[in-house]
Structures are given as C-alpha cells and as structure tokens.
Amino acid sequence: MEAFRKAVETVQVRAGAPCLIDSEWQGGGDRPLLDVIAPHSEELLLQYREATHEDVDRAVAAARRAFDHGPWPRMEPAERSAALKRVARLLSERLPELAEVWTGQVGAVIGFTRKASGQVPGLFDFYADMIQDYPFVEQRTRSSGSAVRVVSEPVGVCAAITPWNAPLVLLCYKVAAGLAAGCTFVVKPSPETPIDAHILADCIIQAGLPAGVFNMVTGGRAIGDYLVRHPGVDKVSFTGSTVAGKAIAGACAERLTRFSLELGGKSAALILDDADLSSVLPSLVPYSMPITGQVCFSLTRVLVPASRYDEVLDGYVDAVRKVRLGDPFDDQTQMGPLTLKRQRDRVESYVAIGQKEGARLVTGGGRPAEHNRGWYFEPTVFADVTPEMTIAQEEIFGPVVSFLRYDDEASLVEQANATSYGLHGAIYSVDPERAFSLARRIRSGSIALNGMAVDIEMPFGGFKQSGIGREGGREGLENYLEIKSVYMA
Ligand code: NAD
C-alpha cells in the first residue's frame, strides 16, 4: 500500500502539468480536473488536468519530429534492443509498485497483480530479443532471376489508446512492440487509471530513449477522438470497447490511417461430455471472472452437455460461492470490487435484463451485504440461458456467468459461434485431438485446451467484432511495420 501511495503522490505533483511531451511534464492549461477514485474504498485518490487540443498537437509534433528526423527509427535494431532492455530492467526493479498500483486503481487482487505485472517488463524483454534477429531486410529472387529486397519499416507515429482494467499491461503490448519496430508514440491511457503509465514514462526517460519517442496525453473520449483524427498520426492502436473501436475505425477511414483494434468478447467455455470436472473447475472458476469479470477474454458463457448440466452447474456454483470477496490488498482476497461505479450500474442492469428475459439466477445478483463501501458485486451465475438472450450476446464486463445447454456437437459449435464476438474460448476434454479439431471450428482468435493460457509470446486478438490485428508474439511486432519492396535490378 505504501508504494501505491507514493505513486499517487508522484502523479499528484504532476497534476497541473500531466502530459509528457519531448520528455518534459507540461500542458493541462485550465482544462477540467479528472478524478481517480479507489474502487474498494470510494476514496478520491487524485485529481489531475485533462490535456488541451494544443497539448495533443504538441505531443504529436514531438513524436513526428522524433520519427522524421530523430535517431530512433534509424538505429540498428541491436541499439534499439539495448535501450528496450534498459526499460525492461528499470520496470523489473519496480515490480512491487506496479502490482500495488494496478490493485489500487483497478481493484484487482494483489495475488493476481503480483503475478501478472511481470508481463510489463516481460514485453520489453521479449520484443528487445525479437528484433535482434528479425529479418527487417529480406532478400528474395524474382522468377526472372533479379533480386528484390523486401524491407519492413516502422509504420510511423502511433497513437495508443487503452482501457482501465489492465492499464499498463495493455499499454505495453503496444508500446514495447511499436518501439521495437522503430515507431514513436503518443499514448492516451484511460482517464480513470492513469497512474502506472507515469511509471512507464519515468522508466523510458531514465533508460535514455530520445526525447519525443514516447509522449503521453491525458483525457477521455473527446481527447482520444482528437488524437485519432490528428493528421500527424500514422497508426492508431486501440484496446477498449467494440462501440469505441467502431468509432475509431470510422475516424481512421477518413485518412486511411492504419489501425488495429483489440475489442470486447463473449468467450465460451466448451465442456465436452468426457471432461474431467475436477480439472475443469480450478481453471474455469478464476478465468470466468478474472479481475471481477473485467477482462476481455473472460469465459462468460459455459456450454455444457445436457447429460452433465446439473453436475457441472452445481460444481461451479459451489466453487463460486466460496470465492472470498474483500480488500484487494489483502493476500487472502480472491475477488475485489468492480473498478468503476458506472461499471457496477452496468452489471446491475444486465442482471435485471437476465431475470426479465427468463434466465434462472442461481447465485449472486446483488451487492454483498458485508461490503457497503466500494463497488463490490457478488459473483453471479445464471442457468437456463439460451443463445438469443441479451446476457448470452452482450459483453457485461463483470462477474456474471451464463450456463447454456447443448445436445450434440453440431449445436455446441453453433452456440459457441452465435455471438458477434470472437476473442477467446476454452475447450475441456480428456481427448486433446478431439478438442483440437473442435477448436478449428470455433471462430475466435485464441482457444485454450483444458486450462487457460494467454501468453505475451503468442498472437492475441479477435475474429469478428472482437477486433482487427494481433498483439503479442511476432505478429505483435508486425502490427507496427510497413512493407516496402525494393527492386534491385
Ligand atoms: P472504452 O472503449 O470506453 O474506452 C477505452 C479507451 O478509449 C479509453 O482510454 C477511452 O477514453 C478511449 N475512448 C473511448 N471512446 C473513444 C473514441 N471514440 N475515440 C478515441 N478514444 C476513445 O472501454 P473501457 O470501458 O475503458 O474498457 C472496457 C472495454 O475494453 C471492454 O469492452 C473490454 O472488452 C475491452 N478490452 C479489450 C481487450 C482486448 O485485448 N481485446 C482488453 C481489455 C479490455
């Protein structure tokens, strides 16, 4: 908690000049103040200024200069790699602070954030290693015999816009890969959870990256929209809701600005008739409601064979009822509050819709009596959900899970694919080859067999309305590259 308080103080000191432009904290003018509220206590932690349009103009101009005239895109990959390794080392030294800040801003439990924060330096290390031998210049031969060099070049000035649930990990997927490619950045973190982006900014400055390579502006949707439409931006990399993603895609289309989108999900857990329940539950319970269900890849629909429906539902509900809610800084707590008051309102409205449409509320559904401060909500399970119901179709982004029934494999595949999303999924079966062949029929960007896996070293992203493009893995680097063919004849 002490490290979190110190991090809040650092940002409070910069509250009147909250934008990082050319390695200097500045901007803010007389724009309105934005609030940061602790989700578990409702304490007002911090107020800071939103960026002005002029701040965004100056941040984009700084990134533009650093890209068009600065050393960063022109460095040998080995030199950029060494700089990114320095960033990774500095972030590693601050891991306990990163975990506390994630917990304090978001309400994600400390046991989880301690483990998951390792991805932040991990992403910088991973891309720093990758560019050491990435084929940025590839020699090919035409059928006529003459040579062509296919060159991968950085796409340019990137705007990165991120949500509040895993603020720094999601930002680093973009920044680590894009910097490795040789791009420069203007980032706009979520207005509700801006604190850990300051730690990243400090590490980047301390690691000696040239001024203007990494810039940051503050604000919400309106400033994000101004940034996305800025003529100085070459690429927009967005993580957030599908609604905002569509608006951003539309704005980018006007100038054909490149864009990649990591959006919402309604991922399914497919329980096959041969699944071993004792190994299903330990992964299904935490990954159906990670960060109080506020993770894009949460397994929020559980598809169960009719013959095993009651057995799986009872086992799951039993486990969910034992989940310990409480102070996210307490090591014993398994589920913290929702991050925002408006998010709790949203979850409550979906619970009401579920009941109205005829789903059976088996457990949860309200605010826990023992937590009258903070945006707490009970883990909630609906049974007898059918595919067309709103709670089976729309992303709730809270601890609400729907159980659906299927009769045969054809109806399983149909139900699994019956939403507009296609982000992730899981299949549980004792037969990995059967599960793999089923995975090929599911329209989603990733699927985990008998467990849960999302790994920074593998591509992650959405089919359908869950997004465009991939982050993580080699594909994550290629998100920030443009291809140029140079005919040598
Ligand atoms: P949001 O879309 O409301 O906001 C995300 C970010 O975009 C914020 O910084 C916001 O200020 C900005 N923004 C919103 N509208 C914008 C616009 N028109 N132009 C430019 N910027 C805009 O999402 P949220 O409520 O912060 O986050 C929750 C959503 O994020 C969920 O739908 C969740 O599934 C999604 N998400 C997706 C992934 C993924 O990797 N696929 C990961 C985490 C969260």
Side-chain angles (χ1 to χ4, degrees), residues 161-165 188 224 238-241 244 262-264 296 395 397:
I161 299 182
T162 44
W164 41 261
N165 57 335
K188 190 206 77 63
F238 173 75
T239 300
S241 62
E262 294 288 339
L263 308 177
C296 54
E395 183 183 52
F397 225 51

Side-chain angles (χ1 to χ4, degrees), residues 160-166 170 173-174 188-193 219-229 236 238-249 251 261-266 293-297 340 342-343 346 395-397 421 423 460-462 466-467 471:
I161 299 182
T162 44
W164 41 261
N165 57 335
L170 297 175
Y173 264 100
K174 303 177 186 313
K188 190 206 77 63
S190 173
E192 295 94 351
T193 55
R221 178 176 309 174
I223 281 294
D225 181 63
Y226 185 76
L227 174 60
V228 163
R229 293 175 190 277
V236 175
F238 173 75
T239 300
S241 62
T242 296
V243 171
K246 288 178 184 175
I248 287 169
L261 307 171
E262 294 288 339
L263 308 177
K266 192 76 199 173
Q294 301 168 115
V295 173
C296 54
F297 58 67
L340 308 171
R342 71 160 192 272
Q343 196 59 25
R346 176 184 165 92
E395 183 183 52
I396 299 173
F397 225 51
Y421 293 110
L423 191 59
F460 179 80
S466 285
E471 292 190 333

Side-chain angles (χ1 to χ4, degrees), residues 231-268:
V233 169
D234 298 307
K235 160 154 182 140
V236 175
S237 177
F238 173 75
T239 300
S241 62
T242 296
V243 171
K246 288 178 184 175
I248 287 169
C252 288
E254 285 171 23
R255 298 180 44 252
L256 290 183
T257 305
R258 275 74 180 122
F259 63 87
S260 49
L261 307 171
E262 294 288 339
L263 308 177
K266 192 76 199 173
S267 300

Side-chain angles (χ1 to χ4, degrees), residues 447-470:
I447 297 194
L449 305 188
N450 289 317
M452 186 64 199
V454 171
D455 183 338
I456 58 172
E457 298 183 10
M458 297 299 142
F460 179 80
F463 280 32
K464 301 193 280 182
Q465 295 196 22
S466 285
I468 292 181
R470 293 292 180 271

Side-chain angles (χ1 to χ4, degrees), residues 28-107:
D30 57 359
R31 295 291 298 151
L33 288 170
L34 301 168
D35 296 342
V36 181
I37 295 173
H40 71 288
S41 62
E42 302 179 31
E43 176 194 347
L44 176 62
L45 291 168
L46 168 69
Q47 290 190 304
Y48 67 102
R49 292 238 179 252
E50 187 178 37
T52 63
H53 285 182
E54 293 69 34
D55 296 335
V56 177
D57 292 343
R58 284 184 298 114
V60 173
R64 196 72 267 163
R65 273 192 305 277
F67 186 78
D68 293 338
H69 308 293
W72 187 254
R74 291 158 196 89
M75 275 178 192
E76 286 302 318
E79 207 182 333
R80 271 207 307 277
S81 171
L84 296 178
K85 287 269 175 193
R86 291 196 296 277
V87 177
R89 203 194 59 241
L90 291 162
L91 286 166
S92 295
E93 289 166 5
R94 298 180 72 170
L95 273 179
E97 189 183 349
L98 292 179
E100 282 199 18
V101 172
W102 191 350
T103 293
Q105 296 182 114
V106 173

Side-chain angles (χ1 to χ4, degrees), residues 68 105 112 121 129 167 216 347 369 389 400 466 474:
D68 293 338
Q105 296 182 114
F112 169 84
D129 287 339
M216 183 163 89
V347 172
M389 285 183 186
V400 181
S466 285
R474 180 192 171 105

